[in-house]
């Protein structure tokens, strides 16, 4: 070690490990711990070396503000406590705030309709993923909810659109339907019916009247064509 290294270590020990007679009646060590590590201890005890807030602009601002000084919107400051203590306090406050909305929302939710989409064999060890790309859209003008999704396995060229009225007591025609892309993008009547079959990679609502889809060729070859298409919902 160089003399500079030794000096640095000596200064560190002098600054952080001085004897502190005012701490003699406290459990644990009688010297100041390293000032960063004390904030990370998962303890409820007071900090051995609390920060000096004198001259802090934020604290001075709060002290001089009549309205903010006792405001319930400001999280209280604990200058004598570690970050773990403050974290637990904040989590408790947040849990308390969310409990009432969770109870109210939970009691207001009920099943409006049940639609069977597919059946699987009960003997299978694991349930296959057949439901993909669920995307929700709310048409506030017509008070309609939409769900876009695709079904894997035997219907990869289709997207399904589920439509429900926001008023659960009312129904709408064609509550669920499927749109099949197939080979509708064939540019020539000479192309065979199955030469350019497309499947859906993704689908989202663009606006209340338009659906945007990303399609890919289903043929097993390099350089599959990708198509971005916008389809009128009508």
């Amino acid at each position: 070690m160089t003399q500079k290294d030794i000096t640095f270590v000596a200064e560190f020990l002098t600054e952080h490990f001085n004897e502190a007679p005012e701490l003699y009646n406290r459990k644990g060590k009688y010297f100041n711990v390293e000032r960063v590590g004390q904030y990370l201890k998962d303890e409820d005890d007071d900090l051995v070396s609390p920060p000096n807030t004198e001259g802090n602009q934020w604290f001075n601002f709060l002290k001089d503000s009549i309205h903010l000084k006792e405001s319930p919107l400001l999280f209280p400051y604990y200058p004598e406590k570690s970050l773990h203590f403050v974290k637990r306090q904040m989590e408790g406050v947040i849990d308390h705030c969310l409990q009432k909305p969770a109870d109210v929302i939970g009691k207001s939710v009920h099943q409006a309709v049940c639609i069977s989409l597919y059946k699987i064999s009960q003997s299978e060890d694991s349930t296959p993923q057949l439901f993909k790309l669920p995307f929700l859209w709310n048409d506030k003008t017509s008070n309609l909810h939409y769900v876009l999704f695709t079904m894997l396995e035997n219907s990869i060229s289709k997207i399904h659109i589920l439509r429900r009225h926001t008023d659960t007591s009312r129904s709408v025609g064609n509550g669920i339907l499927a749109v099949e892309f197939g080979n509708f993008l064939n540019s020539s009547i000479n192309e065979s019916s199955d030469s350019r079959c497309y499947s859906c990679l993704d689908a989202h609502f663009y606006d209340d009247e338009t659906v945007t889809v990303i399609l890919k060729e289903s043929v097993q070859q390099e350089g599959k064509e990708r198509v971005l298409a916008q389809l009128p919902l009508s």
Side-chain angles (χ1 to χ4, degrees):
M1 298 176 64
T2 64
Q3 186 60 41
K4 184 177 180 180
D5 296 330
I6 297 175
T7 303
F8 175 77
V9 173
E11 289 177 349
F12 179 87
L13 294 175
T14 302
E15 179 181 357
H16 295 293
F17 293 90
N18 286 336
E19 288 191 0
E22 69 274 10
L23 303 178
Y24 285 173
N25 60 350
R26 184 180 298 180
K27 290 182 179 180
K29 301 173 182 177
Y30 299 144
F31 51 79
N32 291 344
V33 298
E34 197 274 314
R35 294 184 180 180
V36 174
Q38 64 177 346
Y39 290 101
L40 305 179
K41 290 186 176 180
D42 192 4
E43 299 174 352
D44 289 340
D45 295 338
D46 292 349
L47 297 176
V48 177
S49 180
N52 180 14
T53 59
E54 184 179 352
N56 185 292
Q57 294 180 348
W58 173 248
F59 293 121
N60 292 340
F61 171 69
L62 293 182
K63 192 184 301 181
D64 297 337
S65 173
I66 300 175
H67 302 289
L68 290 178
K69 188 182 299 184
E70 303 297 332
S71 173
L73 300 178
L74 292 178
F75 194 79
Y77 176 59
Y78 303 94
E80 305 289 334
K81 298 296 185 179
S82 72
L83 292 178
H84 279 283
F85 176 86
V86 176
K87 175 176 177 286
R88 283 196 299 272
Q89 292 291 110
M90 182 174 289
E91 287 175 341
V93 172
I94 293 174
D95 289 342
H96 178 71
C97 290
L98 296 179
Q99 187 59 48
K100 186 69 174 180
D103 292 341
V104 173
I105 294 173
K107 292 175 181 178
S108 67
V109 174
H110 64 278
Q111 178 177 301
V113 65
C114 180
I115 300 176
S116 178
L117 296 177
Y118 58 84
K119 293 181 179 180
I120 60 172
S121 172
Q122 296 296 326
S123 61
E124 294 184 18
D125 296 334
S126 60
T127 304
Q129 181 192 3
L130 298 178
F131 191 74
K132 190 180 178 186
L133 301 178
F135 178 77
L136 309 180
W137 180 265
N138 178 230
D139 183 351
K140 295 181 176 62
T141 304
S142 303
N143 295 324
L144 294 173
H145 278 311
Y146 289 92
V147 183
L148 282 179
F149 61 93
T150 59
M151 304 284 288
L152 303 182
E153 304 296 332
N154 60 350
S155 58
I156 59 174
S157 63
K158 299 177 183 177
I159 62 168
H160 296 73
I161 304 176
L162 172 65
R163 180 174 63 176
R164 295 288 302 172
H165 204 284
T166 54
D167 182 355
T168 56
S169 63
R170 300 178 57 183
S171 61
V172 292
N174 296 328
I176 184 170
L177 56 84
V179 179
E180 183 168 11
F181 300 103
N183 58 356
F184 78 106
L185 290 175
N186 286 356
S187 57
S188 170
I189 59 174
N190 296 325
E191 294 186 60
S192 62
S193 60
D194 57 354
S195 62
R196 297 275 297 280
C197 190
Y198 290 86
S199 60
C200 182
L201 283 177
D202 201 357
H204 280 207
F205 268 81
Y206 180 76
D207 56 28
D208 288 343
E209 301 175 351
T210 311
V211 177
T212 300
V213 295
I214 300 177
L215 307 173
K216 72 169 182 177
E217 281 189 284
S218 301
V219 293
Q220 298 295 328
Q221 65 182 32
E222 292 295 327
K224 293 180 181 179
E225 184 179 2
R226 300 292 193 270
V227 177
L228 177 68
Q230 289 197 303
L231 308 176
L233 193 59
S234 58

